[in-house]
Amino acid sequence: NLPLTVTIQSSNLVGTVYYPIDTITLSYTFTPSSITSASVTALSTVINTTTSYNFTFRSINALTSNSKIYLILPSQITTTASSTCSCSVASTCAFVNSTTMMVNVNSFLAVGNTEYVISINNIVNPTTTTPSSTFSLGTYYYNTSTPTDILTASVIFTATAA
């Protein structure tokens, strides 16, 4: 949530001095929109297998040049030294750490309600058939402290036995 406070003051100029007449302070709190449409598919669902995933979601708000998309994998899914990611829009994608990908949107303007696909290659499925914890996702404009959209749908992955 991004709090924003605006103060407006009217004043009267007498000579070279401004004397306040009225002051009003307005406060707004912006809440990110909820992404409720998201899914994950894997090339192979077999436990402990190196595979590729497609994570698909539909944005709520527009993304502009230099917007960011952060995708965090469940802890049961592991990356490798050769793991890579890419996105369906003009962007660069890189791993920030072993579980987090950041997509930096290039010169692109996508209206709200756009479908995005983040492809992740050379990652390893969970070692059991127990459902994973949830994927996390957020979209951001220029900074990464204030999300524009956040994933509220519970997206999990369940590997299958060999």
Side-chain angles (χ1 to χ4, degrees):
N1 296 346
L2 175 64
L4 174 67
T5 302
V6 177
T7 301
I8 302 169
Q9 183 179 58
S10 64
S11 53
N12 188 16
L13 177 63
V14 177
T16 59
V17 178
Y18 285 96
Y19 293 95
I21 297 172
D22 291 313
T23 301
I24 186 169
T25 300
L26 306 170
S27 295
Y28 301 96
T29 300
F30 297 95
T31 303
S33 298
S34 295
I35 297 172
T36 58
S37 175
S39 63
V40 63
T41 56
L43 190 59
S44 170
T45 60
V46 176
I47 58 172
N48 209 32
T49 299
T50 301
T51 188
S52 297
Y53 285 22
N54 281 336
F55 187 91
T56 305
F57 72 97
R58 186 164 295 280
S59 70
I60 305 302
N61 292 294
L63 291 180
T64 61
S65 180
N66 293 321
S67 293
K68 311 275 187 279
I69 303 168
Y70 278 87
L71 174 63
I72 302 172
L73 299 173
S75 59
Q76 299 84 1
I77 298 170
T78 54
T79 57
T80 66
S82 59
S83 293
T84 60
C85 59
S86 61
C87 187
S88 59
V89 297
S91 61
T92 55
C93 184
F95 283 89
V96 175
N97 57 42
S98 63
T99 60
T100 305
M101 281 146 284
M102 181 190 75
V103 176
N104 188 44
V105 178
N106 295 339
S107 302
F108 181 75
L109 174 60
V111 297
N113 199 32
T114 297
E115 184 175 271
Y116 298 87
V117 178
I118 299 175
S119 298
I120 313 151
N121 299 308
N122 298 314
I123 59 174
V124 182
N125 283 338
T127 57
T128 70
T129 58
T130 303
S132 72
S133 52
T134 60
F135 287 76
S136 297
L137 181 124
T139 65
Y140 301 81
Y141 285 134
Y142 301 101
N143 67 53
T144 55
S145 60
T146 308
T148 308
D149 298 328
I150 56 170
L151 178 65
T152 55
S154 180
V155 179
I156 60 170
F157 178 79
T158 304
T160 57

